[in-house]
């Protein structure tokens, strides 16, 4: 039995999947957080959050590395850790620093920091000669306006250190650029109390389907688990509305996407990580969108498990312990699995969602999760405002996406004024 130190977590799927994988692997964990109530608030009423199944639940300022490292050292001397882990992007660099400080398995801290900062990723990949959009890193609005004129409209504006598509916007002209820039300026601190970098990233708008390549890198070798497709809506925002695994691609396109992702991981120097690399398949070939040194979100890991039997959450635990993960493909009876998200179109309060009972009983449904009446609803501007999801599988081929879209059309949320 191994003992892991888990430093913070997302409150979505991975906050349940990682504790489950740790437990099913015969291990245990200590959970370290700066704000336990952040997780207690996310647990369904009347249930205990899986993170509370930790051997120990401890509090410390996880945003202050100078005090956190010596505290982790004292904890290690008393409790004995075999690895350090998190599911939250904002703490991936922290976990890498703690693992290095304690002499435990983990990726190089600089590699993780470069992957978690979109501007640093762009510079590293540019130095390595990897295909990516034209870009500029801008420290103020006037610099952004000049860079945008050089790149050409329309383009994409991104914060360099946020997640879930927050404040990522397509901008068609300078007026839209300034509005999008001001919105980021009005969000100086992220949801975990960390001050944001005062720069933005401008990128050439890429055309073509977007996919993600799911990988596991251990001992200097990267194994491609598969390629997932993505549907996007909510313009000018980029909201993920659904995914299917495996992506319905030609063998050549899938191989090109996979090869590009492996090259990006190598250029960044990432090892000992589960990776989720987003790629645009443009008419000129694959282009790297971003590299995430953690498992895919939005329950893509569960799509993979339903189709291949591979447990990506368990692989994440294994590499955190320095173990070679089991990536054996098993016959699950499904050829594809897809998920579709119920994206709110208006603000207010959720009165109900009609059609849930019929969808729950429909053929091929693997999961159905719907928000409860009374939820405050915001018109979606990122991947954080979903009202639920439906997941379905196809035993015969790549029909899971069409099945999910059919099921989603039967869900009718009713939102009323505040």
């Amino acid at each position: 039995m191994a003992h892991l130190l888990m430093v913070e977590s997302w409150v979505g799927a991975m906050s349940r999947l990682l504790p489950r994988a740790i437990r099913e692997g015969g291990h245990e964990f200590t959970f370290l957080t700066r704000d336990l109530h952040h997780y207690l608030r996310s647990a369904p009423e009347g249930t205990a959050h899986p993170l509370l199944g930790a051997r120990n639940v401890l509090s410390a300022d996880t945003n202050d590395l100078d005090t956190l490292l010596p505290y982790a050292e004292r904890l290690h001397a008393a409790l004995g850790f075999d690895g350090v882990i998190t599911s939250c992007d904002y703490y991936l660099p922290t976990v890498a620093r703690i693992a290095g400080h304690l002499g435990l398995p983990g990726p190089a801290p600089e590699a993780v920091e470069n992957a978690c900062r979109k501007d640093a990723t762009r510079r590293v990949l540019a130095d390595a000669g990897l295909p990516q959009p034209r870009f500029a890193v801008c420290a103020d609005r006037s610099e952004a306006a000049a860079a945008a004129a050089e790149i050409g409209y329309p383009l994409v504006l991104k914060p360099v250190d946020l997640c879930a598509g927050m404040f990522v916007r397509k901008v068609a002209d300078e007026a839209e650029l300034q509005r999008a820039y001001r919105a980021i300026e009005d969000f100086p601190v992220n949801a975990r109390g960390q001050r944001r970098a005062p720069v933005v990233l401008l990128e050439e708008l890429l055309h073509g389907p977007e996919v993600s390549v799911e990988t596991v890198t251990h001992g200097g070798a990267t194994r491609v688990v598969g390629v997932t497709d993505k549907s996007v809506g909510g313009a000018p925002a980029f909201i993920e509305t659904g995914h299917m695994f495996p992506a319905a691609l030609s063998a050549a396109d899938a191989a090109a996407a996979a090869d590009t992702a492996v090259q990006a991981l190598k250029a960044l120097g990432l090892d000992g990580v589960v990776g989720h690399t987003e790629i645009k398949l443009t008419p000129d070939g694959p282009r790297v969108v971003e590299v995430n040194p953690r498992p895919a979100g939005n329950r893509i890991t569960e799509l993979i498990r339903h189709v291949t039997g591979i447990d990506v959450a368990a692989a994440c635990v294994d590499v955190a312990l320095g173990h070679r993960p089991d990536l054996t493909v098993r016959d699950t009876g499904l050829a594809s699995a897809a998920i579709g998200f119920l994206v709110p179109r208006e603000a207010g309060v959720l009165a109900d969602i009609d059609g849930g009972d019929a969808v729950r009983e429909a053929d091929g449904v693997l999961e159905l999760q719907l928000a409860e009446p009374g939820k405050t609803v915001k018109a979606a501007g990122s991947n954080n405002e979903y009202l639920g999801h439906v997941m379905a599988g196809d035993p015969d081929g790549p029909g899971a996406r069409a099945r999910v879209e059919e099921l989603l059309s039967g869900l009718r949320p009713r939102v009323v004024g505040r």
Side-chain angles (χ1 to χ4, degrees):
M1 174 187 289
H3 184 194
L4 291 109
L5 174 63
M6 185 184 295
V7 181
E8 304 290 1
S9 169
W10 286 127
V11 295
M14 290 307 292
S15 72
R16 291 158 174 78
L17 294 174
L18 271 187
R20 184 214 73 203
I22 291 170
R23 183 181 65 253
E24 291 182 355
H27 312 308
E28 59 184 359
F29 69 100
T30 286
F31 183 54
L32 183 63
T33 176
R34 63 189 290 270
D35 180 12
L36 183 58
H37 292 286
H38 182 78
Y39 304 94
L40 298 179
R41 288 191 296 268
S42 74
E45 187 175 351
T47 65
H49 198 288
L51 292 169
L52 298 184
R55 172 176 160 186
N56 310 287
V57 178
L58 304 173
S59 294
D61 188 348
T62 51
N63 289 345
D64 184 352
L65 200 60
D66 288 340
T67 61
L68 186 61
L69 288 178
Y71 178 65
E73 191 173 351
R74 293 193 298 273
L75 286 181
H76 184 43
L79 300 175
F81 300 121
D82 302 290
V84 194
I85 199 167
T86 188
S87 66
C88 182
D89 296 53
Y90 298 135
Y91 294 96
L92 290 167
T94 300
V95 160
R97 290 288 173 188
I98 293 173
H101 186 72
L102 300 182
L104 297 174
E110 183 180 3
V112 176
E113 289 161 7
N114 284 339
C116 290
R117 278 280 301 253
K118 295 178 177 65
D119 53 339
T121 298
R122 286 280 173 248
R123 289 174 175 134
V124 170
L125 298 189
D127 289 344
L130 266 72
Q132 51 180 345
R134 291 178 293 128
F135 70 94
V137 181
C138 306
D140 57 48
R141 282 189 243 167
S142 61
E143 189 176 347
E150 183 174 346
I151 294 172
Y153 293 101
L155 48 75
V156 179
L157 178 145
K158 297 179 178 181
V160 300
D161 51 3
L162 289 177
C163 311
M166 292 183 67
F167 298 100
V168 179
R169 294 293 183 269
K170 175 183 174 181
V171 293
D173 53 36
E174 186 171 348
E176 290 186 5
L177 175 70
Q178 297 300 328
R179 283 197 295 272
Y181 203 115
R182 281 196 298 272
I184 295 176
E185 286 180 322
D186 290 340
F187 195 76
V189 177
N190 69 26
R192 297 307 180 95
Q194 299 168 340
R195 183 156 292 278
R196 294 192 45 256
V199 294
V200 301
L201 184 63
L202 298 185
E203 294 181 355
E204 169 192 7
L205 179 66
L206 297 175
H207 299 281
E210 186 169 336
V211 299
S212 59
V213 181
E214 324 307 339
T215 56
V216 179
T217 305
H218 173 75
T222 296
R223 164 81 178 270
V224 175
V225 176
V227 181
T228 311
D229 78 8
K230 177 189 299 188
S231 56
V232 178
F238 294 84
I239 300 171
E240 296 178 1
T241 59
H243 303 277
M244 185 172 75
F245 183 89
L249 297 174
S250 69
D253 281 344
D259 181 63
T260 301
V262 172
Q263 290 183 55
L265 292 165
K266 182 177 180 181
L268 286 161
L270 288 165
D271 193 9
V273 297
V274 172
H276 170 69
T277 303
E278 297 177 351
I279 304 283
K280 271 276 194 179
L281 298 174
T282 78
D284 297 319
R287 297 290 183 268
V288 177
V289 175
E290 63 183 44
V291 181
N292 300 284
R294 44 84 177 158
N298 271 350
R299 299 193 71 76
I300 291 173
T301 57
E302 294 306 279
L303 300 181
I304 295 168
R305 184 177 61 84
H306 281 300
V307 174
T308 69
I310 295 172
D311 188 339
V312 176
C316 188
V317 173
D318 286 337
V319 296
L321 293 170
H323 300 165
R324 183 174 301 279
D326 179 7
L327 301 177
T328 304
V329 176
R330 298 172 178 83
D331 182 7
T332 66
L334 288 181
S336 66
I339 188 169
F341 299 100
L342 197 57
V343 180
R345 309 297 181 189
E346 56 186 328
V349 176
L350 182 65
D352 52 40
I353 299 176
D354 294 332
D357 290 341
V359 170
R360 187 172 285 107
E361 297 171 3
D363 292 340
V365 172
L366 300 171
E367 290 182 10
L368 176 66
Q369 179 178 311
L370 300 175
E372 294 292 330
K375 174 184 173 66
T376 299
V377 178
K378 296 188 291 185
S382 71
N383 299 336
N384 293 324
E385 282 93 33
Y386 300 135
L387 294 179
H389 70 259
V390 59
M391 184 187 295
D394 179 9
D396 301 316
R401 174 179 288 285
R403 180 60 174 147
V404 160
E405 290 173 350
E406 178 187 6
L407 293 166
L408 269 180
S409 69
L411 296 173
R412 297 172 297 278
R414 186 164 61 92
V415 177
V416 298
R418 295 179 186 275

